[in-house]
């Protein structure tokens, strides 16, 4: 009986597993296997070269810049996006007259394609006279800023656009969580004389932990894997100032034709994300329990 | 006390409205530029147009072959959604309920897919699609969409299934329904809320996907909306006031859909994802 | 919750209805085709992949369609930013386009055995030898119209300020200065891309380095690895950075795209802009009153100056193409005066086909002397490497921001070249 049930469970898993194995795992594993070779698009033969690619990675300045940028990007995105989204959700959970309209406005950027967002913001942040952002800053007496051309600033400008795009998204998940919390809890707290802040810290925030876990884990993984917005806004420039791991990976794979080398970067990067995610889940679980 | 209670939300509402205006500005800029002549757009980027010109849209609509590409986008999103809902649902149920080591191992293998930068695997994938004679068909994009989102969706669904009470299924199994029967008759209907929220999240990814179509859909009659937008940008681009309406036409369907569905989206996600 | 489900269910219903509708139109379409089925069945599909947009090839494609009614030619445009990713993915998977656009000799593709050897093809001998770029003595690509870039300038602004196109580098620098004093932005540049600075520095090299007899074979030696750019280019490129020090190229430009810079020039906000003939149509479209001309990049001593360019883009035939015969037929047709004129009509350049004369449009009068001397060249397209000029261009962006010195930038180029030479070895 149990055997039969277990078999049926496996049967349910099989269709998804087949798709996953054929169209996801097979291409990934076959690429990863090439990380020990000199696989290149420039020649036909492939030779086993052991750990050579991995050794080279640590001497590649651009790779190191990419790693640094992806980490900065992921950490800032995770913190800022969620730190803004939680209060926003709490505020919009209140009985405001315009709450539906406001929710809509905050969520709207999330449905735009990254490609369009990239081009749109390239114009908005343009350092030309008609760049709307600089025109506005000049009008209120602040000087214009070289948003995407200043290497020290460019990455943060990209992050700014992404906070704009994805905060509303996180907000919706928090709102959803808040709606699942019984209102009686808040009323009870109110009767106990707890003020706004106290209620927030002692009741709201702990109850939001499940969605905080989901949001922070997803924005961390998404942040480390960031690619399309950088591709469409700066192409990794000026110089290599905004290069991310995935943009470097694609450059090494296709522009430089060094597929084996890029695969090695892919392997190390996947391991890294795995470790980060694991640690983060552990950390969140500890918080959930306490 | 009562007065204070009223006052706070007003201040709060005012603040929120100011923030909302700032958030909406870029979208306003996108929309208002489409109604201007190039000179106007340069002279006052944020001002209202002097005379409204909708000709830009008519031109963009025709240049993009809008009905055709819209339909392609729609077909891809629709079938990808069905696949990426049904398969992971079944799998999540199987994973959540089975107790053997094999399924635990398989589960780990699938979840590991969450962390891989998938762009690296394009060459073998491309070979595969061409071996299967799927090249330049919408199905190529659909199967890739389904497969790539399996880790995320299994991750999303499994927590929900675990939160479902076992009793219902057990009583069904006493009634003689097999595992598969009780999944389709009892569990799947119970999963409606989480399916709704997953569909919302996934449809965004599918509709806005660009890499997949660019790789696998090579002829113009198979192209999706973003590919048509993309034809008109880049190094040899011409006229950006003609290009902005294309961007608007590119994002409009989803934007309108989400504006209409906004209330249900939050409810859907509320019912679905948070139980994890 | 029930409501949500109803809404979603009805959406699904609605969409399946729409799908059914669309299925029908498809059917209708196929019926329509059925009448001409015998004809369409035989139609061979040929895919041409290019990084020049369809508009710039329109007359040419129309000409092909007219001459080859049984061939279904699909032109796939992919922007340069992702062109190599796409093309190389497809070639490596054995599913490349039948014909693709590339620049230079196609060495990278030839080395990997992706492209057909065209040395002995019937049409190859119809081209002037100057247009045929060889790799290890063999021809793998057939040149389309020539490609060149110079400095577009606004004739009205120049006239108003009493300026004429510069004959020397110093004159050019003075022109910048005068325009700035008159409150006009001298040069527009979309330096967010790595290309414009790379090209302008090459302009200086063409004038001051490549013209010297001892450097005649530099590119061949560099390709081989017997010579390096470090120690050879430093002085000239350092001299070129004068234009950065004088504030003609600024950090602001790193935040500007190609088309934004084009806009600045078209609307008369900037007096000069470096680009090529393909921009002419777009500029006129944006500002029909624009009175513009193009001059070559001047050197330190008075001369005709140099334009950046060369055989430009060329077509290569995929060795694995299923319809190689038809692909060759297309190249055969391309080697006719009609096809060449059609190409030139949408994107001006000269033809390398023997016996095709091209009238120089008035915009390019200031460059006529440079053309006459054959002063059109681009070093990097003769190198048999991948896109290493991109790394050099990105390094120049870092020179502009002060993060790198010229010596560093040249070292990056050497390192990249060495790495490519290594991976080209063996096949």
């Amino acid at each position: 009986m149990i055997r039969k049930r277990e078999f049926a469970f496996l049967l349910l898993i099989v269709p998804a597993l087949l798709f996953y194995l054929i169209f996801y795992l097979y291409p990934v594993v076959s690429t990863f296997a090439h990380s020990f070779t000199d696989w290149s698009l420039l020649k036909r033969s492939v030779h086993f070269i052991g750990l050579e690619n991995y050794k080279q990675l640590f001497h590649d300045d651009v790779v190191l810049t990419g790693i640094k940028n992806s980490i900065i990007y992921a950490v800032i995105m995770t913190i800022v996006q969620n730190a803004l989204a939680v209060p926003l959700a709490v505020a919009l959970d209140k009985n405001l007259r315009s709450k539906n309209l406001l929710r809509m406005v905050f969520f709207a950027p999330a449905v735009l394609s990254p490609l369009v967002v990239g081009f749109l913001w390239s114009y908005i942040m343009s350092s030309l006279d008609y760049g709307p952002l600089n025109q506005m800053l000049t009008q209120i007496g602040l000087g214009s800023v070289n948003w995407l051309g200043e290497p020290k600033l460019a990455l943060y400008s990209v992050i700014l656009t992404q906070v704009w795009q994805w905060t509303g998204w996180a907000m919706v998940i928090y709102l959803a969580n808040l709606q699942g919390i019984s209102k009686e809890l808040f009323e009870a707290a109110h009767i106990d004389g707890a003020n706004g802040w106290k209620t927030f810290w002692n009741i709201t925030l702990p109850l939001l932990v499940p969605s905080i876990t989901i949001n922070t884990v997803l924005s961390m993984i998404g942040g480390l894997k960031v690619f399309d917005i950088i591709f469409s806004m700066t192409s990794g420039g000026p110089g290599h100032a905004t290069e991310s791991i995935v943009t470097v990976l694609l450059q090494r794979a296709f522009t430089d034709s060094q597929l084996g080398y890029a695969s090695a970067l892919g392997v190390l990067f996947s391991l890294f994300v795995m470790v980060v995610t694991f640690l983060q889940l552990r950390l969140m679980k500890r918080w959930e329990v306490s | 006390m009562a007065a204070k209670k009223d006052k706070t939300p007003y201040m709060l509402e005012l603040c929120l409205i100011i923030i909302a205006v700032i958030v909406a500005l870029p979208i306003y800029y996108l929309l208002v530029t489409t109604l201007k002549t190039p000179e106007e757009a340069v002279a006052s980027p944020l001002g209202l147009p002097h005379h409204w010109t909708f000709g830009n849209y008519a031109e963009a609509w025709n240049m993009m072959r809008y009905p055709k590409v819209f339909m392609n986008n729609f077909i891809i999103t629709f079938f990808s959604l069905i696949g990426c809902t049904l398969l992971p649902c079944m799998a999540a149920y199987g994973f959540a309920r089975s107790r053997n080591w094999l399924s635990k191992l398989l589960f780990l293998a699938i979840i590991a897919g969450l962390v891989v930068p998938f762009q690296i695997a394009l060459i073998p994938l491309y070979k595969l699609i061409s071996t299967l004679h799927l090249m330049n068909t919408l199905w190529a994009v659909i199967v890739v969409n389904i497969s790539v989102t399996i880790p995320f969706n299994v991750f999303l669904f499994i927590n929900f299934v675990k939160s479902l009470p076992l009793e219902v299924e057990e009583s069904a199994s006493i009634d003689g329904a097999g595992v598969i029967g009780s999944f389709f008759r009892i569990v799947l209907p119970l999963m409606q809320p989480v399916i709704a929220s997953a569909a919302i999240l996934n449809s965004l990814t599918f509709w806005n996907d660009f890499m997949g179509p660019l790789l696998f859909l090579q002829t113009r009659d198979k192209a999706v909306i973003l590919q048509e937008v993309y034809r008109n940008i880049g190094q040899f681009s011409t006229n950006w006031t003609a290009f902005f309406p294309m961007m608007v036409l590119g994002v409009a369907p989803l934007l309108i859909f989400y504006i209409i569905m906004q209330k249900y989206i939050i409810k859907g996600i509320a019912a679905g994802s948070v139980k994890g | 919750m029930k409501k949500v489900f109803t809404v979603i269910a009805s959406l699904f219903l609605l969409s399946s209805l729409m799908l059914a509708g669309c299925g029908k139109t498809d059917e209708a379409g196929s019926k329509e085709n059925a009448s001409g089925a015998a004809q369409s069945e035989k139609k061979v599909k040929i895919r041409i992949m290019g990084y020049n947009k369809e508009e710039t090839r329109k007359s040419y494609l129309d000409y092909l369609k007219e001459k080859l009614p049984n061939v279904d030619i699909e032109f796939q445009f992919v922007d340069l930013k992702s062109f190599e990713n796409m093309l190389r993915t497809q070639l490596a998977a054995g599913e490349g386009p039948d014909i693709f656009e590339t620049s230079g000799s196609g060495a990278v593709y030839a080395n990997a055995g992706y492209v057909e050897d065209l040395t002995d093809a019937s049409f190859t001998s119809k081209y002037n030898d100057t247009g045929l770029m060889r790799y290890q003595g063999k021809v793998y690509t057939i040149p389309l119209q020539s490609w060149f870039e110079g400095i577009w300038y606004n004739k009205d602004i120049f006239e108003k300020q009493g300026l004429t196109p510069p004959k020397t580098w110093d004159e050019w620098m003075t022109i910048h200065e005068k325009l700035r004093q008159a409150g006009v932005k001298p040069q527009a540049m979309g330096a967010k891309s790595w290309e414009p600075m790379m090209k302008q520095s090459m302009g200086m090299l063409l004038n001051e380095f490549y013209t010297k007899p001892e450097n005649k074979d530099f590119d061949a030696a560099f390709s081989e690895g017997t010579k390096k750019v470090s120690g050879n280019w430093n002085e000239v490129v350092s001299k070129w950075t004068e234009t950065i020090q004088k504030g003609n190229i600024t950090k602001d430009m790193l935040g500007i795209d190609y088309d934004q810079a084009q806009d600045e020039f078209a609307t008369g906000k900037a007096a000069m802009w470096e680009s090529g003939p393909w921009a002419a149509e777009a500029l006129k479209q944006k500002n029909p009153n624009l009175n513009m001309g193009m001059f070559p990049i001047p050197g330190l001593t008075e001369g005709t100056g140099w334009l950046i360019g060369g055989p430009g883009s060329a077509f290569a035939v995929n060795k694995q193409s299923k319809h190689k015969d038809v692909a060759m037929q297309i190249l055969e047709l391309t080697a006719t005066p009609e096809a060449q004129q059609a190409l030139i009509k949408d994107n001006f350049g000269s033809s390398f086909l023997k016996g095709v004369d091209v009238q120089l449009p008035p915009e390019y009068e200031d460059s006529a002397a440079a053309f006459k001397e054959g002063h059109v060249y681009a070093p990097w397209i003769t190198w048999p490497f991948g896109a290493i000029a991109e790394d050099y261009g990105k390094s120049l962006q870092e020179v502009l921001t002060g993060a790198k010195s010229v010596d560093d930038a040249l070292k990056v180029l050497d390192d990249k070249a060495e790495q490519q030479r290594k991976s080209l070895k063996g096949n």
Side-chain angles (χ1 to χ4, degrees), chain C residues 220-240:
Chain C
F222 179 64
S223 303
E224 288 288 308
T226 50
K227 274 190 181 161
K228 289 182 163 199
V229 292
S230 294
N232 281 306
W233 283 13
N234 305 53
E235 204 183 318
V236 177
V237 178
S238 298
K239 174 70 189 165
W240 169 78

Side-chain angles (χ1 to χ4, degrees), chain C residues 31 101 194 392:
Chain C
K31 257 179 213 155
E101 186 175 0
W194 50 270
Y392 170 59

Side-chain angles (χ1 to χ4, degrees), chain B:
Chain B
M1 192 65 205
K4 195 187 168 198
K5 215 178 169 185
D6 276 336
K7 212 173 165 186
T8 337
Y10 272 124
M11 276 309 290
L12 183 72
E13 194 155 7
L14 189 68
C15 289
L16 286 171
I17 288 172
I18 292 171
I19 300 172
V21 168
I22 296 171
V23 168
L25 265 180
I27 295 178
Y28 163 78
Y29 169 68
L30 173 65
L31 292 176
V32 84
T33 306
T34 60
L35 303 172
K36 293 179 184 173
T37 58
E39 295 78 36
E40 260 185 289
V42 171
S44 73
L46 290 176
L48 280 170
H50 293 302
H51 42 81
W52 300 62
T53 47
F54 287 96
N56 292 342
Y57 277 99
E59 200 181 322
W61 179 281
N62 291 331
M63 266 174 84
M64 292 169 81
R65 310 177 180 190
Y66 198 71
K68 180 82 211 160
V69 287
F70 179 87
M71 220 48 227
N72 287 341
N73 241 52
F74 189 84
I75 292 169
I76 289 175
T77 307
F78 181 77
F79 284 104
S80 303
L81 270 184
I82 292 183
C84 89
T85 305
L86 196 60
L87 299 186
C89 269
M90 289 161 59
Y93 178 66
F95 283 132
R97 292 290 186 253
S98 80
R99 292 278 163 274
N100 66 69
W101 62 269
L102 181 61
S103 67
K104 287 210 171 87
L105 192 74
L106 292 175
F107 177 68
L108 280 179
I110 286 187
I111 290 303
L114 270 178
V115 301
V116 176
F118 191 64
Q119 290 90 341
I120 187 77
L122 291 181
I123 289 177
L125 184 65
Y126 195 88
K127 248 184 212 164
L128 189 66
I129 292 291
S130 101
T131 321
L132 296 173
H133 296 287
L134 290 175
M135 197 53 75
N136 205 23
T137 65
L138 300 184
W139 291 110
V141 181
I142 293 169
V143 294
V144 171
N145 275 345
I146 294 173
S147 312
V148 170
T149 49
I150 280 176
F152 174 75
N153 287 317
V154 170
F155 176 73
L156 205 65
F157 291 148
I158 196 160
N159 285 323
F160 187 84
V161 178
K162 278 185 176 162
S163 73
L164 290 177
L166 269 171
E167 293 83 16
V168 196
E169 294 158 54
E170 273 162 5
S171 67
S173 89
I174 292 166
D175 288 346
V179 168
I180 295 177
S182 67
F183 167 74
F184 280 104
R185 259 177 290 154
I186 298 165
V187 181
L188 198 59
L190 283 175
M191 286 176 77
Q192 276 168 23
V194 73
I195 289 175
S197 58
I200 292 159
L201 307 184
N202 287 315
S203 60
L204 276 178
T205 318
F206 299 149
W207 187 273
N208 288 332
D209 179 31
F210 178 61
M211 264 308 213
L214 190 61
L215 260 180
F216 301 122
L217 306 176
Q218 293 147 350
T219 58
R220 231 186 136 180
D221 59 319
K222 295 278 162 46
V224 299
I225 297 178
L226 278 179
Q227 271 172 296
E228 284 296 316
V229 175
Y230 183 74
R231 288 179 90 86
N232 295 288
I233 57 177
Q235 198 184 9
F236 306 107
S237 72
T238 45
N239 193 346
W240 55 280
T241 39
F243 170 56
F244 270 51
M246 292 190 183
M247 295 210 287
V248 172
L249 286 177
V251 298
L254 266 194
L255 207 55
I256 293 168
F257 177 79
Y258 279 90
I259 287 172
I260 297 171
M261 297 288 290
Q262 187 262 133
K263 229 162 101 188
Y264 302 107
I265 289 171
I266 294 175
K267 272 194 190 152
I269 295 178
S273 62
V274 190
K275 294 215 167 131

